[in-house]
Amino acid sequence: MSNEFTNPSTEDLKPTVLQQSGFPKRNLVVIILGFLLVASIIVISAFLIRNKMQSELPQKSTAQLIPAVPDQIIIQFKSTTSEQTKHEIIKKYNLTLVDTLKIGKEPEYNLFKIDSTKRDATLNDLKNNPDILDVELNGIGRSQFTPNDPSYSSSQWDLPMVKAPEAWDVTPGSNSITVAVIDTGIRCSHEDLTGRIDTNKGQSWLSASPDKCTDYNGHGTGLAGRIAASTNNFKGIASLAGLNNNIKIISYIDADSSNSYSNFNQAQAINKAVSDGAKVINLSQGTLSSNAFTTAALDAAYTAGVVVVASSGNVSFGCSSGGILFPANYGQVMAVGSVNSSGSLYNTCTGPKMAVVAPGQSIYTTNRTSDAAYSSMNGTSFSTPQVAALAALILSVNSGLTPAQVKNIITSTATCPAGQTCPNNDYGYGLINAQAALLAASGGSPSPSPSPSPSPSPSPSPSTSPSPSPSASPDCVL
C-alpha cells in the first residue's frame, strides 16, 4: 500500500534565511506588532495635538457675522433659575433690562442693553452658563427696497448683484458727501442728474469745453449716472448712491471729445477736487506709466482723507508691463476690475494691485445725447464708479474713516468668486458686497437717514488757464 505522504524535496529541506541566521519566526511577529503599535500611537498623538492646536486658535464669533443691534442681547433664563442668580448674572455682565417678552408657558425673553464692545464675548460666555436656557443677539431684518425707476428691473442686473437693494435699507447716503468725477464733463441737465451735480464747484482745463456741464464725449455723463443717478424718481435708472438725492457729484474736465487727457491736467483736477472738499475721487482713466506730479497729487489726496478709486484698465486698450494701469496701480489708490453678469472677469487688466471687482459689461446708464437718453456702457471705466459710490455710502455712515479704513471695509467684505482663493491678481478680494460693507462701517445696524441741509453756497474757484490738447489716453469705452 502506497504511503499518502510524499517525501520532502531537497528544496523543502533547505532552511530559510531567518532559520539560517538563527532568527525565530515568533520574534518577527513580535517586531511587526510592536511597529504597528508605535505607528498607531504616533497617529493618535498627532490627531490629538492637531485638535488641541485648533481649539486654541482664535475662533471668529458667529455673532460678528449676524447683522444685529450692536448694544443689545436677549437672554432666556431657565425656569429653575432663582431671582438671586439672575441678579448676579445681570450685575456680573453690567446688563440693563430694556424689555421682556412672555410667549405662552415658555420662560420670558429678556432684552438687555450691553456695552457693544463686550457683546460678543458676553454672548459666548453666557452660552455655557447652566442657568440660561437661551441667549441670542437682537438680529436686524430688512425690507428690501425696490426702486420705481423703469429700467431698474429690465436692464440693471448689476445692482442686485452687488446687494444694492439691501444697501439702500442701511443708508440713503449723506448730503455732506461729494464724489469728484474727473473725466469728459457731465450733461447736468439730464433728467436723472438734475440736482445731483454741485455746479458751484468743479472746473474744466480744456479750452474746447470750458463749461463743467458740457460733455463732448459721453464718458463722463455715463460715469455720473453710474454713481448717483436719481433713484426712485419714476425716471430712467437707479444707482447705488442715488437715493434721496443726497450724495452729490462735482465735475472736473481733463479729457477731450476723443476721451484723451494729459497727465498734467489730471493732476490739476485731483488737486482741485481735494481743495473743493470732495470725499471720493473717481478716475475711470489710465495710462501706461506713472509721473511725479500725479503721484504727488494722489499723495496729497490720501493725506487729506480723500478716497481715490481708479479703473485697472481694459485689455482692449492695452495693459502696462505690470498689468494694471496708472494711477490704479499706485498704492494710495483702490484698483477696480470688471466682471460680467455671470461673475467672470471681463476685459480687465490684472495684477497684484487689484483691490476688488464690480460689474462692468452692458452697464445701462445715462447718455449725453439728450436729457432723457440712456445706453449700455462697458469696461473697467464703468465698474469703477460703482466702487466710488460704495465708498461714498460708507463715509455717509461713518465720516471719520480714513482712506485705508474705507478700502479695508470694501475688500474685507467682498465676495471671493467660487473656485478662487482671494486675494489674487485677477479678482483682488472679490466682488464688492454693498450691504456687508455698509453694515461693517455702521457697526451692524442701519444709520438714521440724514436730515436735509441747505445747499452749499457758491465758493470762488481760482482761475486756471486752459491747457493745450491732451497727450495720454484713459480707458476706452467699448
mmCIF file of all heavy atoms in Angstrom, residues 299-346:
data_model
loop_
_atom_site.group_PDB
_atom_site.id
_atom_site.type_symbol
_atom_site.label_atom_id
_atom_site.label_comp_id
_atom_site.label_asym_id
_atom_site.label_seq_id
_atom_site.Cartn_x
_atom_site.Cartn_y
_atom_site.Cartn_z
ATOM 1 N N ASP A 299 -0.845 111.549 -3.389
ATOM 2 C CA ASP A 299 -0.368 111.522 -2.001
ATOM 3 C C ASP A 299 -1.074 112.587 -1.170
ATOM 4 O O ASP A 299 -1.477 112.339 -0.023
ATOM 5 C CB ASP A 299 1.143 111.745 -1.953
ATOM 6 C CG ASP A 299 1.941 110.530 -2.405
ATOM 7 O OD1 ASP A 299 1.386 109.420 -2.352
ATOM 8 O OD2 ASP A 299 3.103 110.698 -2.810
ATOM 9 N N ALA A 300 -1.227 113.777 -1.755
ATOM 10 C CA ALA A 300 -1.888 114.870 -1.040
ATOM 11 C C ALA A 300 -3.353 114.534 -0.785
ATOM 12 O O ALA A 300 -3.893 114.832 0.296
ATOM 13 C CB ALA A 300 -1.773 116.164 -1.845
ATOM 14 N N ALA A 301 -4.009 113.896 -1.755
ATOM 15 C CA ALA A 301 -5.405 113.496 -1.580
ATOM 16 C C ALA A 301 -5.531 112.481 -0.452
ATOM 17 O O ALA A 301 -6.426 112.572 0.403
ATOM 18 C CB ALA A 301 -5.950 112.919 -2.887
ATOM 19 N N TYR A 302 -4.641 111.512 -0.431
ATOM 20 C CA TYR A 302 -4.655 110.465 0.594
ATOM 21 C C TYR A 302 -4.450 111.074 1.976
ATOM 22 O O TYR A 302 -5.162 110.735 2.933
ATOM 23 C CB TYR A 302 -3.558 109.454 0.282
ATOM 24 C CG TYR A 302 -3.564 108.220 1.143
ATOM 25 C CD1 TYR A 302 -4.370 107.130 0.831
ATOM 26 C CD2 TYR A 302 -2.739 108.129 2.269
ATOM 27 C CE1 TYR A 302 -4.372 105.981 1.610
ATOM 28 C CE2 TYR A 302 -2.728 106.986 3.054
ATOM 29 C CZ TYR A 302 -3.548 105.913 2.716
ATOM 30 O OH TYR A 302 -3.543 104.793 3.498
ATOM 31 N N THR A 303 -3.502 112.006 2.084
ATOM 32 C CA THR A 303 -3.221 112.670 3.361
ATOM 33 C C THR A 303 -4.421 113.482 3.826
ATOM 34 O O THR A 303 -4.704 113.573 5.029
ATOM 35 C CB THR A 303 -1.990 113.581 3.228
ATOM 36 O OG1 THR A 303 -0.859 112.794 2.823
ATOM 37 C CG2 THR A 303 -1.672 114.276 4.541
ATOM 38 N N ALA A 304 -5.164 114.050 2.874
ATOM 39 C CA ALA A 304 -6.335 114.860 3.197
ATOM 40 C C ALA A 304 -7.557 114.007 3.532
ATOM 41 O O ALA A 304 -8.622 114.538 3.856
ATOM 42 C CB ALA A 304 -6.663 115.793 2.036
ATOM 43 N N GLY A 305 -7.423 112.682 3.430
ATOM 44 C CA GLY A 305 -8.531 111.792 3.777
ATOM 45 C C GLY A 305 -9.489 111.526 2.642
ATOM 46 O O GLY A 305 -10.628 111.097 2.872
ATOM 47 N N VAL A 306 -9.045 111.751 1.402
ATOM 48 C CA VAL A 306 -9.899 111.547 0.234
ATOM 49 C C VAL A 306 -9.667 110.142 -0.335
ATOM 50 O O VAL A 306 -8.523 109.740 -0.559
ATOM 51 C CB VAL A 306 -9.620 112.607 -0.850
ATOM 52 C CG1 VAL A 306 -10.517 112.379 -2.071
ATOM 53 C CG2 VAL A 306 -9.831 114.005 -0.283
ATOM 54 N N VAL A 307 -10.745 109.411 -0.564
ATOM 55 C CA VAL A 307 -10.660 108.068 -1.144
ATOM 56 C C VAL A 307 -10.573 108.201 -2.663
ATOM 57 O O VAL A 307 -11.428 108.837 -3.285
ATOM 58 C CB VAL A 307 -11.895 107.229 -0.769
ATOM 59 C CG1 VAL A 307 -11.821 105.851 -1.425
ATOM 60 C CG2 VAL A 307 -12.006 107.102 0.742
ATOM 61 N N VAL A 308 -9.539 107.608 -3.259
ATOM 62 C CA VAL A 308 -9.371 107.652 -4.713
ATOM 63 C C VAL A 308 -9.564 106.253 -5.279
ATOM 64 O O VAL A 308 -8.902 105.298 -4.858
ATOM 65 C CB VAL A 308 -7.984 108.196 -5.114
ATOM 66 C CG1 VAL A 308 -7.866 108.276 -6.633
ATOM 67 C CG2 VAL A 308 -7.748 109.572 -4.498
ATOM 68 N N VAL A 309 -10.479 106.142 -6.236
ATOM 69 C CA VAL A 309 -10.806 104.869 -6.862
ATOM 70 C C VAL A 309 -10.505 104.990 -8.353
ATOM 71 O O VAL A 309 -10.904 105.972 -8.992
ATOM 72 C CB VAL A 309 -12.292 104.516 -6.656
ATOM 73 C CG1 VAL A 309 -12.605 103.150 -7.239
ATOM 74 C CG2 VAL A 309 -12.642 104.557 -5.177
ATOM 75 N N ALA A 310 -9.803 104.012 -8.930
ATOM 76 C CA ALA A 310 -9.417 104.101 -10.344
ATOM 77 C C ALA A 310 -9.587 102.758 -11.043
ATOM 78 O O ALA A 310 -9.471 101.700 -10.431
ATOM 79 C CB ALA A 310 -7.979 104.590 -10.473
ATOM 80 N N SER A 311 -9.830 102.831 -12.341
ATOM 81 C CA SER A 311 -10.023 101.618 -13.143
ATOM 82 C C SER A 311 -8.682 100.952 -13.428
ATOM 83 O O SER A 311 -7.688 101.619 -13.701
ATOM 84 C CB SER A 311 -10.732 101.959 -14.457
ATOM 85 O OG SER A 311 -10.097 103.036 -15.108
ATOM 86 N N SER A 312 -8.674 99.631 -13.354
ATOM 87 C CA SER A 312 -7.441 98.874 -13.567
ATOM 88 C C SER A 312 -6.999 98.921 -15.021
ATOM 89 O O SER A 312 -5.828 98.716 -15.327
ATOM 90 C CB SER A 312 -7.626 97.415 -13.138
ATOM 91 O OG SER A 312 -8.524 96.751 -14.006
ATOM 92 N N GLY A 313 -7.927 99.213 -15.938
ATOM 93 C CA GLY A 313 -7.616 99.277 -17.365
ATOM 94 C C GLY A 313 -8.281 98.169 -18.147
ATOM 95 O O GLY A 313 -8.574 97.098 -17.602
ATOM 96 N N ASN A 314 -8.538 98.448 -19.402
ATOM 97 C CA ASN A 314 -9.160 97.468 -20.291
ATOM 98 C C ASN A 314 -8.107 96.771 -21.135
ATOM 99 O O ASN A 314 -7.225 97.432 -21.701
ATOM 100 C CB ASN A 314 -10.166 98.144 -21.223
ATOM 101 C CG ASN A 314 -11.306 98.789 -20.482
ATOM 102 O OD1 ASN A 314 -11.543 98.482 -19.314
ATOM 103 N ND2 ASN A 314 -12.017 99.686 -21.138
ATOM 104 N N VAL A 315 -8.214 95.472 -21.259
ATOM 105 C CA VAL A 315 -7.288 94.706 -22.097
ATOM 106 C C VAL A 315 -7.333 95.224 -23.529
ATOM 107 O O VAL A 315 -6.310 95.283 -24.218
ATOM 108 C CB VAL A 315 -7.635 93.202 -22.043
ATOM 109 C CG1 VAL A 315 -6.782 92.418 -23.026
ATOM 110 C CG2 VAL A 315 -7.455 92.658 -20.633
ATOM 111 N N SER A 316 -8.505 95.637 -24.000
ATOM 112 C CA SER A 316 -8.658 96.104 -25.376
ATOM 113 C C SER A 316 -7.904 97.407 -25.625
ATOM 114 O O SER A 316 -7.572 97.732 -26.763
ATOM 115 C CB SER A 316 -10.144 96.310 -25.697
ATOM 116 O OG SER A 316 -10.737 97.193 -24.768
ATOM 117 N N PHE A 317 -7.618 98.156 -24.550
ATOM 118 C CA PHE A 317 -6.826 99.379 -24.675
ATOM 119 C C PHE A 317 -5.337 99.066 -24.606
ATOM 120 O O PHE A 317 -4.518 99.650 -25.299
ATOM 121 C CB PHE A 317 -7.216 100.368 -23.573
ATOM 122 C CG PHE A 317 -6.250 101.511 -23.406
ATOM 123 C CD1 PHE A 317 -6.198 102.535 -24.346
ATOM 124 C CD2 PHE A 317 -5.401 101.576 -22.319
ATOM 125 C CE1 PHE A 317 -5.302 103.587 -24.192
ATOM 126 C CE2 PHE A 317 -4.509 102.617 -22.162
ATOM 127 C CZ PHE A 317 -4.456 103.637 -23.104
ATOM 128 N N GLY A 318 -4.993 98.142 -23.757
ATOM 129 C CA GLY A 318 -3.590 97.804 -23.539
ATOM 130 C C GLY A 318 -3.240 97.948 -22.081
ATOM 131 O O GLY A 318 -3.587 98.959 -21.454
ATOM 132 N N CYS A 319 -2.572 96.955 -21.535
ATOM 133 C CA CYS A 319 -2.199 96.968 -20.121
ATOM 134 C C CYS A 319 -0.733 97.364 -19.979
ATOM 135 O O CYS A 319 0.052 97.266 -20.928
ATOM 136 C CB CYS A 319 -2.442 95.594 -19.500
ATOM 137 S SG CYS A 319 -4.131 94.982 -19.700
ATOM 138 N N SER A 320 -0.355 97.816 -18.794
ATOM 139 C CA SER A 320 1.036 98.181 -18.544
ATOM 140 C C SER A 320 1.890 96.927 -18.401
ATOM 141 O O SER A 320 1.371 95.802 -18.368
ATOM 142 C CB SER A 320 1.122 99.023 -17.268
ATOM 143 O OG SER A 320 0.852 98.219 -16.136
ATOM 144 N N SER A 321 3.184 97.123 -18.276
ATOM 145 C CA SER A 321 4.084 95.972 -18.129
ATOM 146 C C SER A 321 3.778 95.193 -16.853
ATOM 147 O O SER A 321 4.000 93.996 -16.766
ATOM 148 C CB SER A 321 5.543 96.443 -18.117
ATOM 149 O OG SER A 321 5.751 97.379 -17.069
ATOM 150 N N GLY A 322 3.243 95.892 -15.852
ATOM 151 C CA GLY A 322 2.862 95.223 -14.603
ATOM 152 C C GLY A 322 1.405 94.827 -14.576
ATOM 153 O O GLY A 322 0.903 94.359 -13.564
ATOM 154 N N GLY A 323 0.707 95.033 -15.708
ATOM 155 C CA GLY A 323 -0.702 94.675 -15.798
ATOM 156 C C GLY A 323 -1.601 95.877 -15.645
ATOM 157 O O GLY A 323 -2.067 96.473 -16.622
ATOM 158 N N ILE A 324 -1.838 96.287 -14.404
ATOM 159 C CA ILE A 324 -2.766 97.376 -14.100
ATOM 160 C C ILE A 324 -2.158 98.727 -14.482
ATOM 161 O O ILE A 324 -0.968 98.970 -14.293
ATOM 162 C CB ILE A 324 -3.134 97.341 -12.607
ATOM 163 C CG1 ILE A 324 -3.926 96.063 -12.308
ATOM 164 C CG2 ILE A 324 -3.940 98.559 -12.196
ATOM 165 C CD1 ILE A 324 -4.225 95.844 -10.848
ATOM 166 N N LEU A 325 -3.015 99.607 -15.018
ATOM 167 C CA LEU A 325 -2.569 100.925 -15.463
ATOM 168 C C LEU A 325 -2.349 101.866 -14.282
ATOM 169 O O LEU A 325 -2.805 101.616 -13.158
ATOM 170 C CB LEU A 325 -3.604 101.533 -16.418
ATOM 171 C CG LEU A 325 -3.891 100.778 -17.719
ATOM 172 C CD1 LEU A 325 -4.933 101.530 -18.541
ATOM 173 C CD2 LEU A 325 -2.626 100.572 -18.528
ATOM 174 N N PHE A 326 -1.657 102.973 -14.553
ATOM 175 C CA PHE A 326 -1.507 104.061 -13.585
ATOM 176 C C PHE A 326 -2.641 105.055 -13.821
ATOM 177 O O PHE A 326 -2.984 105.333 -14.966
ATOM 178 C CB PHE A 326 -0.147 104.753 -13.777
ATOM 179 C CG PHE A 326 0.073 105.936 -12.869
ATOM 180 C CD1 PHE A 326 0.520 105.751 -11.574
ATOM 181 C CD2 PHE A 326 -0.186 107.226 -13.313
ATOM 182 C CE1 PHE A 326 0.711 106.843 -10.736
ATOM 183 C CE2 PHE A 326 -0.002 108.315 -12.483
ATOM 184 C CZ PHE A 326 0.456 108.130 -11.194
ATOM 185 N N PRO A 327 -3.301 105.572 -12.786
ATOM 186 C CA PRO A 327 -2.901 105.564 -11.375
ATOM 187 C C PRO A 327 -3.464 104.416 -10.526
ATOM 188 O O PRO A 327 -3.233 104.380 -9.321
ATOM 189 C CB PRO A 327 -3.452 106.899 -10.873
ATOM 190 C CG PRO A 327 -4.686 107.116 -11.666
ATOM 191 C CD PRO A 327 -4.385 106.565 -13.033
ATOM 192 N N ALA A 328 -4.234 103.503 -11.125
ATOM 193 C CA ALA A 328 -4.828 102.422 -10.322
ATOM 194 C C ALA A 328 -3.770 101.565 -9.636
ATOM 195 O O ALA A 328 -4.020 101.001 -8.574
ATOM 196 C CB ALA A 328 -5.716 101.554 -11.204
ATOM 197 N N ASN A 329 -2.581 101.465 -10.247
ATOM 198 C CA ASN A 329 -1.544 100.608 -9.663
ATOM 199 C C ASN A 329 -0.726 101.310 -8.580
ATOM 200 O O ASN A 329 0.233 100.740 -8.064
ATOM 201 C CB ASN A 329 -0.625 100.066 -10.755
ATOM 202 C CG ASN A 329 0.139 101.161 -11.499
ATOM 203 O OD1 ASN A 329 0.086 102.334 -11.120
ATOM 204 N ND2 ASN A 329 0.829 100.800 -12.567
ATOM 205 N N TYR A 330 -1.116 102.534 -8.231
ATOM 206 C CA TYR A 330 -0.401 103.257 -7.184
ATOM 207 C C TYR A 330 -0.972 102.880 -5.821
ATOM 208 O O TYR A 330 -2.177 102.683 -5.674
ATOM 209 C CB TYR A 330 -0.499 104.768 -7.426
ATOM 210 C CG TYR A 330 0.352 105.592 -6.486
ATOM 211 C CD1 TYR A 330 1.728 105.385 -6.404
ATOM 212 C CD2 TYR A 330 -0.219 106.558 -5.662
ATOM 213 C CE1 TYR A 330 2.510 106.120 -5.536
ATOM 214 C CE2 TYR A 330 0.554 107.309 -4.795
ATOM 215 C CZ TYR A 330 1.916 107.084 -4.734
ATOM 216 O OH TYR A 330 2.694 107.807 -3.865
ATOM 217 N N GLY A 331 -0.120 102.800 -4.824
ATOM 218 C CA GLY A 331 -0.510 102.286 -3.514
ATOM 219 C C GLY A 331 -1.616 103.047 -2.810
ATOM 220 O O GLY A 331 -2.361 102.473 -2.018
ATOM 221 N N GLN A 332 -1.757 104.361 -3.067
ATOM 222 C CA GLN A 332 -2.765 105.162 -2.376
ATOM 223 C C GLN A 332 -4.119 105.113 -3.071
ATOM 224 O O GLN A 332 -5.061 105.811 -2.672
ATOM 225 C CB GLN A 332 -2.311 106.638 -2.303
ATOM 226 C CG GLN A 332 -0.846 106.846 -1.910
ATOM 227 C CD GLN A 332 -0.565 106.490 -0.474
ATOM 228 O OE1 GLN A 332 -1.025 105.459 -0.002
ATOM 229 N NE2 GLN A 332 0.186 107.321 0.221
ATOM 230 N N VAL A 333 -4.226 104.294 -4.117
ATOM 231 C CA VAL A 333 -5.436 104.241 -4.948
ATOM 232 C C VAL A 333 -6.045 102.842 -4.870
ATOM 233 O O VAL A 333 -5.325 101.849 -4.729
ATOM 234 C CB VAL A 333 -5.095 104.599 -6.413
ATOM 235 C CG1 VAL A 333 -6.320 104.511 -7.308
ATOM 236 C CG2 VAL A 333 -4.490 106.003 -6.487
ATOM 237 N N MET A 334 -7.365 102.759 -4.980
ATOM 238 C CA MET A 334 -8.043 101.471 -4.999
ATOM 239 C C MET A 334 -8.293 101.058 -6.445
ATOM 240 O O MET A 334 -9.063 101.706 -7.159
ATOM 241 C CB MET A 334 -9.364 101.554 -4.234
ATOM 242 C CG MET A 334 -9.914 100.193 -3.836
ATOM 243 S SD MET A 334 -11.509 100.285 -2.937
ATOM 244 C CE MET A 334 -11.302 101.738 -1.936
ATOM 245 N N ALA A 335 -7.655 99.976 -6.889
ATOM 246 C CA ALA A 335 -7.788 99.496 -8.268
ATOM 247 C C ALA A 335 -9.018 98.614 -8.404
ATOM 248 O O ALA A 335 -9.247 97.717 -7.599
ATOM 249 C CB ALA A 335 -6.538 98.722 -8.679
ATOM 250 N N VAL A 336 -9.795 98.856 -9.473
ATOM 251 C CA VAL A 336 -11.052 98.135 -9.669
ATOM 252 C C VAL A 336 -11.056 97.431 -11.024
ATOM 253 O O VAL A 336 -10.778 98.049 -12.056
ATOM 254 C CB VAL A 336 -12.257 99.101 -9.604
ATOM 255 C CG1 VAL A 336 -13.572 98.327 -9.776
ATOM 256 C CG2 VAL A 336 -12.260 99.865 -8.291
ATOM 257 N N GLY A 337 -11.373 96.133 -11.008
ATOM 258 C CA GLY A 337 -11.524 95.355 -12.229
ATOM 259 C C GLY A 337 -12.987 95.191 -12.582
ATOM 260 O O GLY A 337 -13.874 95.716 -11.900
ATOM 261 N N SER A 338 -13.254 94.439 -13.640
ATOM 262 C CA SER A 338 -14.607 94.329 -14.178
ATOM 263 C C SER A 338 -15.009 92.870 -14.348
ATOM 264 O O SER A 338 -14.198 92.029 -14.743
ATOM 265 C CB SER A 338 -14.656 95.057 -15.528
ATOM 266 O OG SER A 338 -15.770 94.677 -16.285
ATOM 267 N N VAL A 339 -16.296 92.574 -14.050
ATOM 268 C CA VAL A 339 -16.851 91.240 -14.289
ATOM 269 C C VAL A 339 -18.157 91.373 -15.069
ATOM 270 O O VAL A 339 -18.778 92.438 -15.105
ATOM 271 C CB VAL A 339 -17.125 90.468 -12.971
ATOM 272 C CG1 VAL A 339 -15.829 90.170 -12.244
ATOM 273 C CG2 VAL A 339 -18.085 91.246 -12.073
ATOM 274 N N ASN A 340 -18.570 90.257 -15.688
ATOM 275 C CA ASN A 340 -19.842 90.242 -16.395
ATOM 276 C C ASN A 340 -20.948 89.708 -15.480
ATOM 277 O O ASN A 340 -20.720 89.472 -14.288
ATOM 278 C CB ASN A 340 -19.739 89.438 -17.692
ATOM 279 C CG ASN A 340 -19.318 87.990 -17.450
ATOM 280 O OD1 ASN A 340 -19.493 87.446 -16.349
ATOM 281 N ND2 ASN A 340 -18.750 87.352 -18.451
ATOM 282 N N SER A 341 -22.127 89.488 -16.050
ATOM 283 C CA SER A 341 -23.275 89.098 -15.229
ATOM 284 C C SER A 341 -23.126 87.715 -14.600
ATOM 285 O O SER A 341 -23.806 87.408 -13.625
ATOM 286 C CB SER A 341 -24.557 89.144 -16.062
ATOM 287 O OG SER A 341 -24.454 88.275 -17.184
ATOM 288 N N SER A 342 -22.240 86.893 -15.134
ATOM 289 C CA SER A 342 -22.003 85.571 -14.538
ATOM 290 C C SER A 342 -20.861 85.594 -13.531
ATOM 291 O O SER A 342 -20.514 84.567 -12.950
ATOM 292 C CB SER A 342 -21.710 84.539 -15.634
ATOM 293 O OG SER A 342 -20.513 84.855 -16.312
ATOM 294 N N GLY A 343 -20.262 86.758 -13.343
ATOM 295 C CA GLY A 343 -19.190 86.898 -12.363
ATOM 296 C C GLY A 343 -17.808 86.613 -12.908
ATOM 297 O O GLY A 343 -16.834 86.619 -12.153
ATOM 298 N N SER A 344 -17.703 86.382 -14.223
ATOM 299 C CA SER A 344 -16.401 86.114 -14.833
ATOM 300 C C SER A 344 -15.695 87.422 -15.165
ATOM 301 O O SER A 344 -16.340 88.427 -15.501
ATOM 302 C CB SER A 344 -16.568 85.288 -16.109
ATOM 303 O OG SER A 344 -17.173 84.050 -15.826
ATOM 304 N N LEU A 345 -14.375 87.394 -15.104
ATOM 305 C CA LEU A 345 -13.577 88.578 -15.407
ATOM 306 C C LEU A 345 -13.882 89.061 -16.820
ATOM 307 O O LEU A 345 -14.005 88.266 -17.753
ATOM 308 C CB LEU A 345 -12.094 88.232 -15.269
ATOM 309 C CG LEU A 345 -11.152 89.364 -14.838
ATOM 310 C CD1 LEU A 345 -11.520 89.844 -13.443
ATOM 311 C CD2 LEU A 345 -9.708 88.889 -14.867
ATOM 312 N N TYR A 346 -14.020 90.386 -16.987
ATOM 313 C CA TYR A 346 -14.384 90.940 -18.288
ATOM 314 C C TYR A 346 -13.435 92.076 -18.668
ATOM 315 O O TYR A 346 -13.385 93.102 -18.000
ATOM 316 C CB TYR A 346 -15.833 91.442 -18.261
ATOM 317 C CG TYR A 346 -16.224 92.207 -19.509
ATOM 318 C CD1 TYR A 346 -16.480 91.539 -20.705
ATOM 319 C CD2 TYR A 346 -16.314 93.594 -19.496
ATOM 320 C CE1 TYR A 346 -16.815 92.244 -21.853
ATOM 321 C CE2 TYR A 346 -16.662 94.297 -20.632
ATOM 322 C CZ TYR A 346 -16.914 93.624 -21.805
ATOM 323 O OH TYR A 346 -17.239 94.315 -22.946
#
